[in-house]
Amino acid sequence: MAPPRRWVITMFSAVLVLNAPHHLSFRRRLLRRSLVWGPLSEQVGRRPVFIGSFIVYTIFQVACAVAPNTAAILIFRFLGGTFAAAPLRTAGTSSCALTYGTRTRVEGARGVHPRTFAGPSLGPIVSGFMAAIFAGVCTVAIVFFLPETYAPIILVKRAQKLRKDTGNDRYWAPLERNNLEILPHIRHVLPAFVPPTSAMSLTLSPQFVYGVIYLLFEAYPIVFTVGHGFNAGLTGLTFLPIFVGGAIGVGAYLLFFNPRYQRAIAEFAPHPVPPEYRLEICMWAAPIYTLSFFWFGWTSFPSVSYWAPLLAGLPMGVAVTFLFLGLFNYVIDAYLFVAASALSAMTVVRSLFGAGFPLFATQMYERLDARWASTLLGLLALAMTPIPFVLRRYGHHLRRRSKYAPTGDGPRKPSRPASVDGEKASA
């Protein structure tokens, strides 16, 4: 695929991902339906899932905008969450996995992953008819501009065209002969919880991070509205440093970590780089994320300038970007063509955290105050800090226990040093 077209698909996928995360009340419904969209997209393709889900999603967004009362809004948002889950798992990392190769995937991921938390960061500013219009524009754009990106489905279409053009029935794609129905195909999702790899990195670290982003919807008003006297509009703007930190994280990834991974590709050639090499960035992110909580908590006194807790969002945004880029690329490298199902499993747990954390956030921050509540979160983050270090050291042993991870038998160390030309090319 030509680079310009590839970038158009990437940026459009990022916009689709931005639709769902800013809707907090979608979370409970979303966590169940995420089990369906990933496997379904691997059976019928990404494009049909995009079109069907976004048409219904747009209808429910319009219904929310014209709803006569609160009960109707909650019902429509509840139903809309069923279809808002689709872009999170099919328009994001899984599409990047197939639109980009291993060498250039980070270029696509850098455009998609910041939108995962950009939604929660920008959500307080967007609502009502704005969201409905945005969803409608995305639906029209999907129909006219978004191609199919799932390689097995593309092969199916090519085989069908060859059979039609030649009249020869010997052209068949592997997926056509598979004849796997959607319910058995969902079984790809459930084993993602079983291996210790998933139990540690895929269901704890990024999910805790995501839950805390939604918890901040309750924590920030306590610190900035109650403590510093901000109005509702200004309090909504206090989430922007997290978004800016995410953008800084993307730049740091491209300048420092991606060239290192490019050198690793040259060193391991012709073998693939072990997925554990994706975790280097997480080894930096975990302590940064932990420190950001102590920064935010112990500068949240009303007597301290509001700039101090506000700027704590910058390292938090950097760390969130690093963690999502590292762990999501790790999942794709480990699970390859069933990555969408594995990512669906992650979405289920992530949505559970996103739905649950705001339920106790206000009580926790009011009972413990902002200092000790943030310290508690920092201690939990500190307890999870060793996860990327453990996975970097023992991840290859854990992957071998999963029949859905076809990368368990690759070399763990480089077969040859990177050449000077390779290093220049990677730079």
Side-chain angles (χ1 to χ4, degrees), residues 13 19 31 63 74 84 97 113 179 188 218 221 246 261-262 274 297 326 366:
S13 297
N19 269 271
L31 70 90
L74 293 176
H113 284 301
N179 291 326
H188 281 309
E218 307 296 331
Y261 189 79
Q262 298 295 332
E366 289 179 348

Side-chain angles (χ1 to χ4, degrees), residues 357-413:
F357 272 45
L359 298 180
F360 61 81
T362 301
Q363 295 86 339
M364 182 176 73
Y365 268 79
E366 289 179 348
R367 183 68 61 87
L368 298 178
D369 75 42
R371 271 70 64 192
W372 289 107
S374 298
T375 298
L376 177 60
L377 294 174
L379 292 175
L380 291 174
L382 180 63
M384 297 181 185
T385 297
I387 289 178
F389 296 88
V390 173
L391 286 177
R392 178 66 184 263
R393 178 67 179 84
Y394 300 105
H396 64 285
H397 294 299
L398 304 177
R399 284 187 289 109
R400 287 176 182 171
R401 301 181 184 181
S402 174
K403 63 180 180 179
Y404 295 101
T407 56
D409 296 327
R412 294 173 48 199
K413 295 183 179 180

Side-chain angles (χ1 to χ4, degrees), residues 37 108 132 137 161 171 287 308 322:
W37 297 122
V137 171
K161 186 176 186 301
Y171 296 106
F322 282 1

Side-chain angles (χ1 to χ4, degrees), residues 18-30:
L18 185 59
N19 269 271
H22 71 275
H23 298 286
L24 179 60
S25 62
F26 282 178
R27 291 288 133 193
R28 293 172 184 79
R29 189 69 171 176
L30 191 153

Side-chain angles (χ1 to χ4, degrees), residues 41-237:
S41 70
E42 291 171 350
Q43 187 67 19
V44 302
R46 313 291 195 219
R47 179 175 163 82
V49 171
F50 292 161
I51 294 175
S53 63
F54 257 81
I55 288 175
V56 181
Y57 166 63
T58 302
I59 292 173
F60 283 119
Q61 284 293 86
V62 174
C64 287
V66 299
N69 51 53
T70 302
I73 292 176
L74 293 176
I75 292 172
F76 290 138
R77 288 177 67 84
F78 180 77
L79 295 174
T82 300
F83 300 91
L88 285 176
R89 286 288 55 84
T90 53
T93 314
S94 55
S95 287
C96 286
L98 300 169
T99 307
Y100 293 78
T102 302
R103 180 181 293 271
T104 57
R105 183 183 306 138
V106 68
E107 297 178 4
R110 73 178 181 180
V112 172
H113 284 301
R115 275 67 174 183
T116 303
F117 60 88
S121 300
L122 302 178
I125 309 172
V126 180
S127 63
F129 280 102
M130 176 76 82
I133 294 172
F134 186 42
V137 171
C138 288
T139 302
V140 174
I142 289 172
V143 173
F144 290 102
F145 300 111
L146 188 67
E148 180 60 62
T149 61
Y150 189 49
I153 294 296
I154 295 175
L155 289 177
V156 168
K157 292 182 177 180
R158 288 180 180 176
Q160 292 173 345
K161 186 176 186 301
L162 285 173
R163 291 198 300 270
K164 180 179 179 180
D165 293 343
T166 64
N168 193 333
D169 290 337
R170 67 187 180 91
Y171 296 106
W172 292 87
L175 189 63
E176 291 180 288
R177 298 190 180 280
N178 202 0
N179 291 326
L180 185 63
E181 296 180 357
I182 183 61
L183 291 180
H185 195 67
I186 293 177
R187 294 175 184 173
H188 281 309
V189 178
L190 300 180
F193 291 103
V194 177
T197 302
S198 301
M200 293 176 66
S201 70
L202 309 188
T203 62
L204 284 180
S205 185
Q207 324 321 347
F208 172 78
V209 170
Y210 203 70
V212 167
I213 292 176
Y214 282 91
L215 181 146
L216 294 179
F217 279 119
E218 307 296 331
Y220 268 41
I222 292 176
V223 172
F224 294 104
T225 303
V226 178
H228 292 282
F230 285 18
N231 59 35
L234 290 177
T235 300
L237 294 176

Side-chain angles (χ1 to χ4, degrees), residues 301-348:
F301 291 97
S303 58
V304 177
S305 171
Y306 62 82
W307 284 104
L310 191 66
L311 291 178
L314 290 176
M316 186 179 295
V318 171
V320 169
T321 299
F322 282 1
L323 286 168
F324 272 84
L325 282 173
L327 288 173
F328 276 49
N329 277 300
Y330 173 69
V331 172
I332 293 174
D333 286 353
Y335 287 94
L336 297 178
F337 279 98
V338 294
S341 295
L343 292 171
S344 294
M346 294 179 63
T347 299
V348 170

